[in-house]
Amino acid sequence: MRLLKVATCNLNQWAMDFDCNLKNIKESIAKAKEAGAVIRLGPELEITGYGCEDHFLELDTVTHAWDCLKEILLGDWTDGILCSFGMPVIKGSERYNCQVLCLNRKIIMIRPKMWLANDGNYRELRWFTAWKQNDQLVDFHLPNEVSKAINQDSVPFGYAFIQFLDTAVAAEVCEELFTPIPPHAELALNGVEVFMNASGSHHQLRKLDLRLRAFIGATHTRGGVYMYSNHQGCDGGRLYYDGCSCIIVNGEVVAQGSQFSLKDVEVVIAQVDLDAVASLRGSISSFQEQASCKTTVSSVAVPYNLCQPFNLQMSLSSPLKINYHSPEEEIAFGPGCWLWDYLRRSGASGFLLPLSGGADSSSVAAIVGCMCQLVVKEIANGDEQVKADAIRIGHYTNGQFPTDSKEFAKRIFYTVFMGSENSSEATRQRAKVLADEIGSWHLDVSIDGVISALLSLFQTLTGKRPRYKVDGGSNIENLGLQNIQARIRMVLAFMLASLLPWVHNKSGFYLVLGSSNVDEGLRGYLTKYDCSSADINPIGSISKQDLRAFLRWAAIHLGYLSLAEVEAAPPTAELEPIRSNYSQLDEVDMGMTYEELSVYGRLRKIFRCGPVSMFENLCYKWGSRLTPSQVADKVKHFFKYYSINRHKMTILTPSYHAESYSPEDNRFDLRQFLYNARWPYQFRKIDQLVPELNGDKVAFRESNDKEKLGASSNGVVGMGVVAAGSGDPKAGL
């Protein structure tokens, strides 16, 4: 046996906070060494933080990273342990995203990233160059201060692996794993047994399985030990890096870290037998044949042993069942942890939420409640950093600290129901009951006086007073009256957030939380500069359907029973008067259902459909219940209002990224905001297709009826002809 103990980690880094990042790195190394590990892997760009963005263009950022690495190398941190550190490195005129591999106070090699992430939320090509000389290993001269400090002039730089006396180790950086021809394939043929993947991967609902399948597949048919390290937390932006550092041996997970956690440092350890890797490879004939004619990859020889011989005192890590969270748990824990990081790092003293009693604001309230529960639980588990942050934010004195989530919520969470004459008693009561269940400091105020004052001012200026549509007003009057209410609530929310701490003799300020969901953003079903305009929004990238499922889950698992009643109520903005023959409903206002909005959103973003291709796809998906003409009307209606309201995305509150069809304009979904909302060319194309498809549908039905008649006469039941392309109702999705 060749026994090897390895360590990987989740680190909660903060972009550009080098003190914080260095502290976490050192703590992770200390924990790895304490466990007896001889390899320690950290996340991608861990020294600077992954989310520095254009700060990577500053020479200071690179210089500070070298200073931090020098401090590590001057201490005993790398004594007896191979450490891989992520940082930017400038070579010549190019800037590279690198893994710096160190052992015994020396730099062994620098491995630049070869394939950069440059889609979705990622813009690595804006800041870094991909290393393209894959057949070269060149000398890199260390910066003078580093060179003098560690007494080392140069280091190998490029694509290579490290050949120790008893095994071979190589780096594979994040995106490289997901390329069509990943580096680990040829590295395995070159004898590499341990792969180290440093990553900066963000949370997205239902995404973890895709990631883990890639790790498992990397070693399932070619053998190997695959180590994965990731950031965990909010490092200063919209993304939550969801950890889940893990270790896989020959396609089986033997160690897995948490996906969501308030911890700053979590180290994952595994004891593995490298002879098991050699044995598997030796049993696969095709692997042997391909290895015999491989392309040779450069290597760096290090005369050092990493492994230990057979020892009964060292037990091997066994395969374990992978831990997956349900989507409802992901919605609770991901945004909850993101909110905690934002709160403790922003200098704020808490949150303020306009709580309407509807599904969206109630979801946000439940997520804050979940955050409070996580904080109390982590303090009970002995996390001193969480405890110190909670004492500071909650203004605890005399050695007190949070022991009850409701009591903690009372200190850091304000909710306010801003009712008007259009608000129902049912939503008012739901807001109050939920606030009591969570423990927030709840206020109930009427905004009718402010609305009346503004309308009187308008009447004085113009001589006219607008009326609601149900009272005989026009659409313009009706919309204007709704917008007045919405915008007053935004102004009042920020006023309360800045002044209520003063009223209660507290220092600081409160962060205003928004509560618009991804579907409303996509459709533009929100008032510009209303309560959707806040400091941050934990649900801005979550669909209405997922939020309703979350509410049902949270009613049971978070103990907020009133959420079941909230979920069951029909969605309504309550901005128009309630009459015996009229009640405002969101889906009626929008002219489409939330379920349809999710379909439109996925086709538009994930499957990159314009109006014509969306129409064609939906003819397949909805063809059993809608005619092509009806599908065309729905597609046109969506694109009309999507384009009319796209400008609202330019001022959308920074939101937690959770959904792959988010319309967020700042980073993820980059499109114009001034459209020709008539889409004349595209809609004309659809109009040309409709009569053709209507004819095809009539012909298909006549043919299908004849087939059924023939089948019946032959005594055959259940057989028939399926028109070409119409089989799977999910075709094209």
Side-chain angles (χ1 to χ4, degrees):
M1 280 189 171
R2 288 176 296 146
L3 301 181
L4 183 71
K5 183 168 280 191
V6 297
T8 183
C9 56
N10 296 331
L11 296 187
N12 193 337
Q13 307 296 76
W14 191 2
M16 300 300 292
D17 188 339
F18 292 90
D19 287 338
C20 165
N21 299 344
L22 188 57
K23 173 180 173 291
N24 291 344
I25 290 168
K26 288 179 177 179
E27 184 178 339
S28 71
I29 298 172
K31 289 184 175 181
K33 293 177 77 170
E34 184 181 358
V38 293
I39 298 178
R40 175 268 178 197
L41 172 66
E44 183 178 12
L45 296 168
E46 61 180 316
I47 293 179
T48 57
Y50 184 85
C52 297
E53 299 185 326
D54 280 3
H55 284 296
F56 284 126
L57 303 178
E58 301 165 5
L59 291 179
D60 278 3
T61 304
V62 181
T63 302
H64 298 335
W66 278 114
D67 291 340
C68 292
L69 181 64
K70 180 180 72 173
E71 181 175 333
I72 292 172
L73 292 173
L74 287 176
D76 62 357
W77 302 100
T78 62
D79 289 358
I81 185 169
L82 174 68
C83 292
S84 180
F85 303 111
M87 59 178 277
V89 174
I90 294 177
K91 183 184 183 301
S93 301
E94 306 93 45
R95 185 186 299 101
Y96 294 99
N97 175 350
C98 295
Q99 288 301 119
V100 182
L101 291 96
C102 305
L103 174 67
N104 292 332
R105 310 190 190 199
K106 300 292 182 183
I107 301 175
I108 304 301
M109 69 169 288
I110 298 177
R111 163 66 155 83
K113 192 172 182 179
M114 300 186 295
W115 307 108
L116 301 178
N118 208 56
D119 52 17
N121 287 297
Y122 297 100
R123 298 285 180 275
E124 290 184 10
L125 278 171
R126 181 181 173 95
W127 311 301
F128 301 109
T129 299
W131 178 254
K132 302 177 181 70
Q133 290 77 41
N134 294 352
D135 58 344
Q136 296 182 31
L137 193 61
V138 300
D139 274 344
F140 174 80
H141 292 280
L142 296 172
N144 285 334
E145 289 190 6
V146 178
S147 175
K148 292 176 182 178
I150 67 173
N151 195 27
Q152 182 179 356
D153 294 329
S154 62
V155 59
F157 187 102
Y159 173 50
F161 62 90
I162 303 177
Q163 182 64 63
F164 290 94
L165 295 176
D166 49 6
T167 189
V169 179
E172 181 171 67
V173 189
C174 197
E175 177 75 9
E176 294 174 351
L177 167 66
F178 303 98
T179 57
I181 306 175
H184 68 256
E186 68 174 353
L187 287 168
L189 296 176
N190 277 265
V192 173
E193 294 178 312
V194 181
F195 306 94
M196 301 184 295
N197 188 314
S199 181
S201 188
H202 68 274
H203 173 239
Q204 192 168 287
L205 289 173
R206 306 172 179 89
K207 174 187 172 185
L208 181 60
D209 182 56
L210 298 176
R211 198 188 306 164
L212 281 167
R213 274 190 282 164
F215 305 149
I216 291 169
T219 61
H220 180 70
T221 57
R222 58 180 65 92
V225 176
Y226 205 93
M227 302 169 60
Y228 170 76
S229 177
N230 193 17
H231 295 267
Q232 186 174 62
C234 167
D235 80 340
R238 293 162 171 79
L239 304 183
Y240 178 83
Y241 300 94
D242 61 337
C244 203
S245 294
C246 53
I247 300 164
I248 293 93
V249 179
N250 292 347
E252 294 185 300
V253 178
V254 298
Q256 179 186 0
S258 65
Q259 187 177 10
F260 309 107
S261 174
L262 302 185
K263 293 184 175 72
D264 283 343
V265 178
E266 181 182 358
V267 177
V268 179
I269 306 289
Q271 177 83 27
V272 302
D273 175 19
L274 293 184
D275 279 354
V277 175
S279 176
L280 175 62
R281 291 176 175 178
S283 69
I284 304 172
S285 176
S286 59
F287 184 92
Q288 298 286 302
E289 291 297 318
Q290 291 189 353
S292 69
C293 57
K294 62 184 177 293
T295 300
T296 301
V297 177
S298 301
S299 64
V300 177
V302 177
Y304 188 84
N305 286 299
L306 290 178
C307 301
Q308 294 189 32
F310 175 71
N311 183 348
L312 282 177
Q313 294 181 348
M314 299 177 67
S315 59
L316 294 177
S317 299
S318 301
L320 50 81
K321 182 180 179 182
I322 300 173
N323 180 35
Y324 290 113
H325 289 286
S326 68
E328 294 79 16
E329 290 173 327
E330 292 184 78
I331 292 170
F333 301 142
C337 292
W338 182 75
L339 284 177
W340 176 246
D341 278 342
Y342 203 103
L343 177 61
R344 70 190 181 111
R345 289 172 169 170
S346 67
S349 296
F351 297 117
L352 182 136
L353 171 69
L355 181 59
S356 70
D360 295 332
S361 61
S362 295
S363 294
V364 174
I367 289 170
V368 176
C370 178
M371 181 202 80
C372 294
Q373 293 182 16
L374 290 173
V375 168
V376 170
K377 181 179 179 181
E378 204 58 46
I379 291 173
N381 290 337
D383 192 308
E384 291 299 322
Q385 183 61 58
V386 174
K387 182 178 179 180
D389 288 333
I391 290 173
R392 172 178 55 83
I393 296 167
H395 298 93
Y396 288 90
T397 57
N398 300 322
Q400 294 181 316
F401 57 87
T403 57
D404 178 79
S405 63
K406 291 183 68 173
E407 186 275 334
F408 185 53
K410 181 72 73 175
R411 289 174 176 262
I412 61 106
F413 188 30
Y414 278 83
T415 52
V416 53
F417 180 86
M418 292 183 262
S420 73
E421 62 182 358
N422 301 323
S423 303
S424 67
E425 185 58 34
T427 52
R428 183 190 305 272
Q429 190 61 26
R430 286 200 295 266
K432 181 181 184 305
V433 172
L434 178 59
D436 289 342
E437 290 175 338
I438 293 170
S440 67
W441 192 292
H442 187 64
L443 300 173
D444 187 331
V445 300
S446 171
I447 61 173
D448 287 331
V450 186
I451 296 170
S452 179
L454 282 174
L455 291 176
S456 296
L457 174 62
F458 181 84
Q459 189 172 12
T460 300
L461 291 171
T462 66
K464 291 188 174 183
R465 192 175 185 94
R467 294 177 298 166
Y468 289 103
K469 191 172 182 179
V470 295
D471 296 327
S474 65
N475 285 330
I476 292 176
E477 294 171 77
N478 195 60
L479 185 60
L481 287 170
Q482 292 183 69
N483 288 343
I484 290 171
Q485 298 169 68
R487 289 179 175 135
I488 285 172
R489 287 174 173 140
M490 184 271 289
V491 174
L492 182 57
F494 276 97
M495 180 181 178
L496 292 172
S498 61
L499 292 177
L500 277 178
W502 166 72
V503 171
H504 292 275
N505 297 314
K506 294 181 179 180
S507 60
F509 58 95
Y510 286 116
L511 293 164
V512 178
L513 296 179
S515 58
S516 60
N517 61 63
V518 69
D519 298 322
E520 291 171 347
L522 179 66
R523 165 61 170 73
Y525 186 63
L526 52 95
T527 299
K528 203 173 187 179
Y529 303 115
D530 69 346
C531 279
S532 64
S533 295
D535 290 308
I536 51 175
N537 180 357
I539 66 165
S541 184
I542 303 175
S543 73
K544 191 76 163 189
Q545 289 177 290
D546 281 337
L547 286 174
R548 295 187 72 168
F550 164 71
L551 289 172
R552 293 191 294 270
W553 175 89
I556 299 170
H557 295 89
L558 296 181
Y560 307 143
L561 301 180
S562 64
L563 292 177
E565 184 180 345
V566 172
E567 190 277 330
T572 173
E574 291 195 335
L575 293 171
E576 295 182 68
I578 300 171
R579 298 286 187 265
S580 59
N581 61 346
Y582 178 76
S583 180
Q584 185 180 25
L585 296 174
D586 288 357
E587 294 182 332
V588 175
D589 273 0
M590 293 190 297
M592 60 191 75
T593 67
Y594 282 109
E595 183 179 358
E596 289 172 341
L597 263 174
S598 288
V599 174
Y600 298 145
R602 288 183 167 85
L603 284 171
R604 183 197 68 97
K605 177 66 177 175
I606 302 172
F607 297 99
R608 299 164 292 280
C609 288
V612 177
S613 53
M614 183 182 291
F615 164 72
E616 292 171 339
N617 273 274
L618 290 177
C619 281
Y620 288 135
K621 182 175 177 64
W622 293 341
S624 61
R625 59 185 178 87
L626 297 175
T627 66
S629 179
Q630 290 171 320
V631 173
D633 288 343
K634 284 182 174 291
V635 170
K636 290 178 184 178
H637 186 71
F638 164 71
F639 271 100
K640 173 186 175 181
Y641 285 97
Y642 157 74
S643 53
I644 285 174
N645 291 306
R646 178 67 190 187
H647 65 95
K648 297 177 182 178
M649 297 302 96
T650 63
I651 55 92
L652 200 66
T653 295
S655 301
Y656 179 100
H657 178 87
E659 182 56 76
S660 54
Y661 70 90
S662 170
E664 185 266 306
D665 177 79
N666 189 270
R667 292 286 190 280
F668 186 68
D669 188 46
L670 307 181
R671 301 169 194 248
Q672 71 205 69
F673 55 86
L674 177 61
Y675 281 90
N676 184 342
R678 298 188 306 276
W679 297 82
Y681 186 89
Q682 294 90 332
F683 286 4
R684 190 165 63 248
K685 285 284 188 181
I686 293 174
D687 290 340
Q688 291 168 0
L689 286 170
V690 167
E692 299 174 17
L693 294 173
N694 277 330
D696 288 345
K697 198 160 188 177
V698 170
F700 162 68
R701 283 174 176 165
E702 290 176 352
S703 173
N704 205 27
D705 288 344
K706 291 178 181 178
E707 289 292 336
K708 288 179 180 178
L709 183 62
S712 299
S713 64
N714 291 325
V716 179
V717 179
M719 300 293 289
V721 177
V722 178
S726 70
D728 184 354
K730 294 184 180 179
L733 297 182

